[in-house]
Amino acid sequence: MDHPEPARGHERRHLGPARADHRPPHRRLRRPRRTGRRAHRHRAGLLRGRRSARRARAGRERVPGDVSRTIRLGAQRLIAAVLDCEKPVIAAVNGTAAGIGAHLAFACDLVLAADTAKFIEVFVRRGLVPDGGGAYLLPRLVGPQRAKELMFFGDALSAADAERMGLVNRTVPERELTALAAAWAGRLAAGPTRAVALAKQLVNASLDGDRAAAFAAEAAAQEINMTTRDADEGVAAFVERRTPEYRGH
């Protein structure tokens, strides 16, 4: 018996064995697709909900002490670690050091800068009070009047101007910055490291104490340093007219 051929739109094609869907029944159901006005209303509702959530988060009241706690455990802790570090710290600034970045550089013991570098007390531009030790560091480096000028106006300070003000030790072309920083680090590492560490401690402490305290600290540091082999080597090299060979102890 002849069978009529199926219509073209209903031709049977061999698709291979059907794949079983092992997902639970509730996972096989798909959310109906919204179209037209219902879809528009649905999406608009989602957007409004997200905006409301963002407003709620933005308008959430701060817990008293959150801001000061964040500053103490963040920026201030970082600056203090540099100031209290026994070893000398060198900053090599290439680019713009703004806000905390500038204060981090100023906290270092030696500051090198590319001639294209800039320093900005950016806080006033954002309506903020300087933090990260800025009000502690700047007056000690440039005096209160200069510090206020930098903080009140937030103008960009070029590397050359920063060097003239005493904020930077040396300004060099950008291509020479890394080499100079490495050379200075090498000189420090080859020197009497214990004596250098004590000198750093004396200078930093002198900014917070009176003359009597500074003199007492100096005498104590000299007493400690004279127990090191590097001190003996330095004196012996001077007497013998040769270059000292320091060992760091």
Side-chain angles (χ1 to χ4, degrees):
M1 180 181 294
D2 295 334
H3 297 280
E5 294 183 1
R8 290 185 178 180
H10 297 81
E11 289 182 357
R12 295 180 181 178
R13 296 179 181 177
H14 181 68
L15 301 178
R19 296 181 180 178
D21 191 347
H22 298 290
R23 294 178 298 174
H26 69 279
R27 295 291 301 277
R28 300 177 194 174
L29 299 177
R30 295 184 178 180
R31 182 179 296 178
R33 185 177 181 182
R34 292 179 172 87
T35 58
R37 293 183 179 178
R38 291 184 62 191
H40 176 74
R41 287 196 298 269
H42 176 69
R43 296 190 188 100
L46 287 176
L47 290 174
R48 283 195 296 270
R50 290 170 183 167
R51 291 195 193 103
S52 299
R54 283 197 296 269
R55 291 195 194 101
R57 288 194 297 269
R60 183 175 54 194
E61 293 184 2
R62 293 190 181 93
V63 177
D66 273 356
V67 175
S68 61
R69 187 181 304 108
T70 300
I71 292 174
R72 287 198 310 272
L73 299 180
Q76 290 180 351
R77 188 176 181 180
L78 174 63
I79 299 301
V82 175
L83 292 171
D84 297 336
C85 179
E86 185 178 77
K87 296 179 175 62
V89 182
I90 299 175
V93 182
N94 182 16
T96 299
I100 300 298
H103 297 169
L104 181 59
F106 300 153
C108 293
D109 303 294
L110 300 169
V111 183
L112 306 176
D115 53 8
T116 56
K118 294 181 180 180
F119 300 86
I120 308 175
E121 285 296 310
V122 74
F123 299 95
V124 70
R125 299 187 185 184
R126 308 290 180 261
L128 301 175
V129 175
D131 61 31
Y136 173 85
L137 294 167
L138 277 174
R140 287 165 168 77
L141 294 171
V142 298
Q145 300 305 114
R146 287 284 195 177
K148 291 173 185 176
E149 178 184 347
L150 294 173
M151 291 180 174
F152 290 175
F153 297 116
D155 294 333
L157 190 67
S158 69
D161 288 339
E163 183 178 4
R164 281 191 289 269
M165 294 174 64
L167 292 170
V168 171
N169 294 90
R170 193 77 57 84
T171 300
V172 296
E174 183 178 344
R175 63 181 179 276
E176 300 176 10
L177 180 63
T178 302
L180 180 60
W184 280 26
R187 290 180 61 185
L188 289 170
T193 54
R194 189 59 183 165
V196 172
L198 289 169
K200 171 180 177 174
Q201 181 180 341
L202 286 174
V203 173
N204 287 354
S206 70
L207 299 173
D208 298 321
D210 56 20
R211 184 182 66 183
F215 279 19
E218 179 183 84
Q222 196 67 276
E223 180 75 22
I224 294 171
N225 188 66
M226 289 306 295
T227 64
T228 65
R229 293 184 179 180
D230 279 351
D232 293 338
E233 169 64 11
V235 174
F238 173 75
V239 173
E240 298 169 9
R241 298 179 181 275
R242 60 176 174 81
T243 302
E245 296 180 2
Y246 296 116
R247 304 294 183 183
H249 54 82

